[in-house]
Amino acid sequence: RKEVEQDPGPFNVPEGATVAFNCTYSNSASQSFFWYRQDCRKEPKLLMSVYSSGNEDGRFTAQLNRASQYISLLIRDSKLSDSATYLCVVNLGGAGSYQLTFGKGTKLSVIP
Amino acid sequence: DADVTQTPRNRITKTGKRIMLECSQTKGHDRMYWYRQDPGLGLRLIYYSFDVKDINKGEISDGYSVSRQAQAKFSLSLESAIPNQTALYFCATSTGGPGGQPQHFGDGTRLSIL
């Protein structure tokens, strides 16, 4: 049973392009949402939290759609250094749960 | 960012051996976690601890045990290693608080069981 689902990609995009990833989650009671970035053979690193009203951090914009149970990540003006795997992370159990469930990731390659 | 330190970074060992992976943190976080990552399977939670002497099983705890010796230290043991425990292992920490808090990961331990 897939609880946090992402398109594995790869997404191959040219430098300067805009790219968007979606992630769906199974439990409408989920409370916390994050995007992590993981480089090959490295540890996952928190990219940004996702808030109900949507939030932006430089070239990165995260959105939450509770009605359709998905979150999205938009990357504008892609850089070569954005090449990585992006993990969608959700606390599926809601406010009473402290565990996070990680998606399997979407691989992004930014091409010169 | 060496706030979460894992040792060893790499380990190759034989089937049946006992192995301990160690994790220490200087972030002052109460919660600590052990995950394994396999290609195509993503990160899976093995054990987690919210405080010293608090131990909870995760999704895939069989074949593993843990010890929370202090707030800053959380070790993972494989009592009798088997080849399908070959994986990349991560320790993570987080603050307390309601719901899921963002977790901060160590550099990982690459473990190979022959």
Side-chain angles (χ1 to χ4, degrees), chain A residues 31-34 36 38 40-46 49 87 91 94-105, chain B residues 31 33 35 37 40-43 45 48 50 57-58 88 90 97-108 110:
Chain A
Q31 294 285 326
S32 303
F33 309 88
F34 309 97
Y36 277 70
Q38 186 173 26
C40 188
R41 301 166 77 90
K42 300 283 190 180
E43 77 276 20
K45 292 185 177 179
L46 178 65
S49 301
L87 307 178
N91 88 314
S97 169
Y98 306 102
Q99 294 183 43
L100 298 180
T101 300
F102 288 75
K104 295 179 184 178
Chain B
R31 299 177 183 173
Y33 311 81
Y35 291 88
Q37 188 173 36
L41 294 180
L43 280 159
L45 182 64
Y48 62 102
F50 286 168
K57 292 183 177 181
L88 182 55
F90 288 107
Q101 299 297 316
Q103 295 176 11
H104 304 271
F105 287 80
D107 290 342
R110 190 165 298 277

Side-chain angles (χ1 to χ4, degrees), chain A residues 99, chain B residues 32 45-51 54-59 61 66 74:
Chain A
Q99 294 183 43
Chain B
M32 299 186 74
L45 182 64
I46 305 172
Y47 271 97
Y48 62 102
S49 167
F50 286 168
D51 203 346
D54 174 72
I55 301 294
N56 304 282
K57 292 183 177 181
E59 181 185 353
S61 58
V66 291
F74 192 35

Side-chain angles (χ1 to χ4, degrees), chain A residues 7-86:
Chain A
D7 181 341
F11 285 63
N12 298 314
V13 302
E15 269 186 291
T18 295
V19 62
F21 312 132
N22 282 344
C23 163
T24 58
Y25 59 94
S26 58
N27 187 356
S28 60
S30 299
Q31 294 285 326
S32 303
F33 309 88
F34 309 97
W35 283 103
Y36 277 70
R37 170 198 169 121
Q38 186 173 26
D39 293 289
C40 188
R41 301 166 77 90
K42 300 283 190 180
E43 77 276 20
K45 292 185 177 179
L46 178 65
L47 180 65
M48 58 197 305
S49 301
V50 185
Y51 302 119
S52 296
S53 55
N55 48 298
E56 189 173 304
D57 183 1
R59 298 181 293 109
F60 299 85
T61 300
Q63 298 276 355
L64 168 63
N65 184 318
R66 286 194 182 274
S68 300
Q69 291 179 216
Y70 75 85
I71 66 172
S72 63
L73 177 68
L74 181 78
I75 306 175
R76 290 181 299 277
D77 189 22
S78 298
K79 311 290 185 191
L80 295 176
S81 57
D82 294 333
S83 297
T85 297
Y86 291 83

Side-chain angles (χ1 to χ4, degrees), chain A residues 2-6 23-25 88 90 92 101-104:
Chain A
K2 296 179 180 177
E3 299 179 312
V4 176
E5 197 164 344
Q6 299 181 247
C23 163
T24 58
Y25 59 94
C88 169
V90 180
L92 289 174
T101 300
F102 288 75
K104 295 179 184 178

